[in-house]
């Protein structure tokens, strides 16, 4: 990313009239906030064993360190997006940063598991305000199609690689400091971003005349929370457990009521024209399917590297570096350069095919696999595929949106990502556990040594789940190819001219 740019003859290129001269530094501030929000979904994963031991958590309750965050984040994003539209994105951006820092400090100082769970939920709630504000500010700051592509390339790279960066940072902090610093680290990042926001970010006034759809917020957020909670409980309880089934039924009922109400509400929380638009609906669905597979990969690879191959937390985190580098390369060096020349689906569909190919390679791993020859090529393919996909998803989903709806549209993109990640973790982990149990039980009956059967069974479960993840990636590619019909930005409407929703 370059702050100063020159034309073909070496003379300074003049910024388009009406654009913010400090917009690239503003992108740094927005990117810092986005990185903090995304990596916090995974940064505590590697630290979880240490936190569990320190706070005396049971094996059944330790999942809430992760789930409390994703539940609050995914469930409250739509409300956070609408609040950003009502009161102004810069205000909610700063409010979210401050709240996130306070919640992180509380979590780092936790003296009981309940205190940590509550702090993680509070982090998720403030993230639900912060994330859509950040994406909305990016959308309104960069309106020139070429610059917009570069800005979204950086944003997409962070969205795709932030989770992997979380593993690296979590490993370093856990091994060389302690698990509490996985939460404390957010405080200085937030402080820097707050000062940067006051100095560099500009915003249009909020749309207070729209009002807040309280019934829609309760129905929509309640439905999402019930669905995500149901998937999180399916792992320990099983898919046919009465509580799990009741949560799914309640979630479906609440979301159905939410859609019914949005057609009648005077000021709907989620204007249905946003999701009725074919391109945006395709982007939302592609994002959700992509993150189902990606978050499942993170879960399995972390346990595989640490438990099966015996890696330390730091070595496990560093093992994700090629994946992170590939995501950044795919997003900033390929997608950002091509989006203004080719249709978004020409990047998204091949990206998902590459990611599915990487997943397929991982299905060959065994107890004795070599990282360099068997794991590394798969991670690189996965990273390039994700980088190709995330950037055009964010750019296309938020293109042509009226300013009053930019916050809720941004929230819907993030909701797709968080809900997909939660579903992927629960769904694929359940598949892996079931397959491992069946394998181990069958082989122990034959008299095979337990010391050999159990590791082989665990890896077998991972490979079965990864096959499912590869299938989901292919479905994401098919969704992008069939549903996302937008043209390259230079052939369509300018980024700062909203497309009339009535024609879609």
């Amino acid at each position: 990313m370059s702050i100063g740019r020159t034309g073909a003859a070496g003379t300074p290129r003049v910024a388009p009239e009406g654009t913010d001269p400090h917009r690239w530094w503003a992108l740094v501030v927005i990117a810092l906030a986005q990185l903090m929000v995304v990596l916090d979904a995974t940064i505590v994963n590697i630290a979880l064993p240490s936190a569990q031991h320190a706070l005396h958590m049971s094996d059944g309750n330790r999942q809430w360190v992760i789930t409390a965050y994703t539940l609050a984040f995914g469930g409250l994003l739509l409300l956070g997006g609408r609040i950003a539209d009502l009161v102004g994105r810069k205000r909610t951006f700063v409010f979210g940063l401050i709240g996130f820092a306070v919640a992180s400090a509380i979590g780092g100082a936790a003296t009981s598991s309940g205190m940590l769970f509550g702090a993680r939920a509070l982090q998720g709630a403030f993230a639900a305000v912060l994330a859509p504000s950040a994406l909305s500010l990016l959308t309104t700051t960069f309106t020139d199609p070429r610059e917009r592509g570069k800005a979204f390339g950086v944003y997409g790279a962070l969205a795709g690689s932030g989770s992997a960066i979380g593993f690296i940072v979590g490993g370093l902090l856990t091994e060389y400091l302690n698990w509490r610093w996985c939460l404390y680290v957010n405080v200085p990042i937030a402080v820097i971003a707050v000062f940067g926001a006051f100095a560099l970010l500009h915003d249009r006034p909020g749309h207070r005349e729209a009002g807040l759809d309280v019934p829609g917020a309760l129905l929509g957020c309640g439905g999402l929370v019930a669905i995500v909670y149901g998937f999180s409980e399916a792992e320990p309880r099983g898919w046919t457990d009465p509580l799990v089934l009741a949560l799914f039924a309640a979630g479906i009922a609440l979301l159905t009521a939410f859609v019914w109400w949005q057609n009648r509400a005077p000021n709907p929380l989620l204007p249905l024209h946003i999701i009725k638009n074919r391109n945006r609906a395709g982007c939302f669905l592609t994002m959700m399917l992509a993150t189902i597979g990606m978050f499942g990969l993170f879960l399995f690879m972390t346990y595989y590297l640490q438990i099966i191959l015996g890696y330390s937390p730091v070595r496990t985190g560093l093992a994700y570096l090629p994946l992170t580098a590939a995501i950044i390369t795919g997003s900033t060096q390929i997608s950002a350069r091509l989006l203004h020349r080719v249709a978004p689906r020409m990047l998204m569909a091949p990206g998902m095919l590459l990611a599915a190919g990487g997943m397929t390679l991982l299905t060959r791993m065994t107890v004795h696999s070599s990282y360099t020859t068997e794991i590394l090529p798969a991670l690189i393919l996965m990273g390039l595929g994700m980088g190709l996909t995330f950037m055009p998803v964010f750019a296309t989903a938020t293109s042509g949106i009226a300013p009053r709806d930019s916050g809720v549209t941004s929230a819907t993109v993030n909701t797709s990502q968080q809900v997909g990640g939660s579903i992927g973790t629960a769904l694929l982990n359940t598949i892996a556990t079931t397959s491992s149990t069946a394998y181990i039980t069958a082989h122990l009956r034959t008299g095979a040594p337990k010391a050999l059967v159990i590791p082989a069974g665990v890896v077998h479960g991972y490979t079965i789940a990864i096959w499912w993840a590869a299938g989901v990636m292919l479905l994401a590619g098919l969704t992008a190819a069939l549903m996302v019909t937008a043209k390259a930005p230079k052939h369509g409407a300018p980024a700062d001219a909203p497309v009339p929703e009535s024609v879609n």
Side-chain angles (χ1 to χ4, degrees):
M1 181 183 68
S2 172
I3 304 299
R5 295 158 56 206
T6 59
T11 58
R13 181 179 294 174
V14 179
E17 185 178 353
T19 58
D20 181 0
H22 303 297
R23 60 195 178 280
W24 293 108
W25 287 113
L27 174 61
V28 174
V29 174
I30 295 170
L32 266 180
Q34 175 65 13
L35 177 63
M36 183 177 67
V37 167
V38 174
L39 68 82
D40 229 71
T42 57
I43 193 171
V44 299
N45 274 270
I46 294 178
L48 187 53
S50 299
Q52 180 182 359
H53 176 75
L55 300 180
H56 309 292
M57 299 179 209
S58 68
D59 288 345
N61 287 335
R62 66 185 178 187
Q63 63 158 328
W64 285 105
V65 177
I66 309 299
T67 308
Y69 181 83
T70 56
L71 271 176
F73 195 0
L76 297 174
L77 265 167
L78 285 176
L79 181 60
R82 183 50 79 190
I83 291 173
D85 287 333
L86 292 177
V87 304
R89 289 95 188 180
K90 181 176 177 179
R91 291 181 181 179
T92 52
F93 183 80
V94 172
F95 173 74
L97 282 170
I98 295 172
F100 199 92
V102 171
S104 298
I106 294 172
T111 56
S112 67
S113 58
M115 184 175 175
L116 180 57
F117 299 157
R120 290 287 287 167
L122 197 60
Q123 277 186 307
F126 282 109
V129 175
L130 179 58
S133 302
L135 186 52
S136 295
L137 285 167
L138 186 66
T139 302
T140 56
T141 300
F142 293 91
T143 55
D144 177 75
R146 187 179 295 271
E147 291 189 348
R148 184 183 176 92
K150 291 184 178 180
F152 273 95
V154 173
Y155 191 90
L158 290 173
S161 64
S163 298
I165 294 172
F167 285 117
I168 298 169
V169 176
L172 290 169
L173 293 174
T174 301
E175 189 156 326
Y176 294 112
L177 293 173
N178 63 55
W179 67 269
R180 297 181 184 276
W181 280 96
C182 291
L183 294 159
Y184 286 144
V185 71
N186 293 317
V187 177
I189 296 175
V191 169
I192 293 171
V194 166
F195 281 108
F198 280 121
L200 297 167
L201 297 182
H202 305 284
D203 190 21
R204 301 171 183 173
H207 301 274
R208 296 179 182 275
E209 74 281 357
L212 188 63
D213 177 19
V214 176
L218 294 174
L219 291 171
C221 296
L224 285 174
V225 168
I227 293 289
V228 175
Y229 184 28
F231 276 107
S232 70
E233 287 296 300
E235 177 195 345
R237 294 175 177 270
W239 293 102
T240 58
D241 182 83
L243 176 62
V244 173
L245 295 177
L247 286 168
F248 286 149
I252 292 170
L254 287 170
L255 291 178
T256 301
F258 170 76
V259 173
W260 173 85
W261 173 249
Q262 295 307 285
N263 275 317
R264 292 158 177 78
N267 301 299
L269 178 67
L270 175 61
L272 293 184
H273 64 254
I274 290 174
I275 57 175
K276 286 180 180 178
N277 178 283
R278 177 172 179 167
N279 290 308
R280 279 191 286 277
C283 287
F284 298 151
L285 187 55
T286 299
M287 173 61 80
M288 185 175 72
L289 292 171
T291 51
I292 285 176
M294 186 178 74
F295 273 67
L297 171 73
F298 289 152
L299 177 71
F300 300 136
M301 289 311 300
T302 299
Y303 278 92
Y304 176 77
L305 293 171
Q306 288 198 47
I307 305 303
I308 303 300
L309 298 187
Y311 282 22
S312 68
V314 169
R315 192 178 179 189
T316 299
L318 293 176
Y320 284 104
L321 270 178
L323 173 70
T324 304
I327 291 175
I328 293 173
T329 301
S331 184
T332 63
Q333 301 304 311
I334 301 177
S335 280
R337 295 175 184 271
L338 295 179
L339 184 61
H340 66 284
R341 298 176 183 172
V342 302
R345 65 177 171 181
M346 298 303 293
L347 297 170
M348 295 160 63
M352 285 292 92
L353 286 175
L354 274 178
M359 284 285 192
T360 303
L361 288 180
L362 283 179
T363 62
R364 301 167 56 193
M365 68 184 186
T366 67
V367 175
H368 305 292
S369 289
S370 165
Y371 173 83
T372 304
T373 58
E374 298 177 65
I375 308 300
L376 179 59
L379 294 181
I380 292 174
L381 283 178
M382 276 283 299
L384 287 174
M386 287 295 176
L388 281 171
T389 303
F390 278 131
M391 183 266 172
V393 164
F394 282 118
T396 306
T398 56
S399 178
I401 281 289
R404 64 179 292 164
D405 289 330
S406 66
V408 71
T409 305
S410 304
T412 308
V413 180
N414 282 282
T415 297
S416 301
Q417 186 176 15
Q418 292 301 315
V419 171
S422 299
I423 291 172
T425 300
L427 172 63
L428 297 176
N429 193 49
T430 299
I431 292 172
T433 303
T434 304
S435 301
S436 294
T437 302
Y439 179 98
I440 292 169
T441 301
H443 283 73
L444 286 179
R445 287 175 181 167
T446 66
K450 189 175 182 179
L452 297 178
V453 169
I454 292 180
V458 170
V459 174
H460 172 78
Y462 294 165
T463 58
I464 295 298
I466 289 172
W467 272 117
W468 281 87
V472 173
M473 293 287 189
L474 289 175
L475 183 58
L478 183 63
T479 298
L482 297 179
M483 292 187 66
V484 182
T485 58
K487 298 179 181 179
K490 73 173 184 178
H491 297 303
D496 56 348
V499 177
E501 297 295 343
S502 59
V503 302
N504 293 302

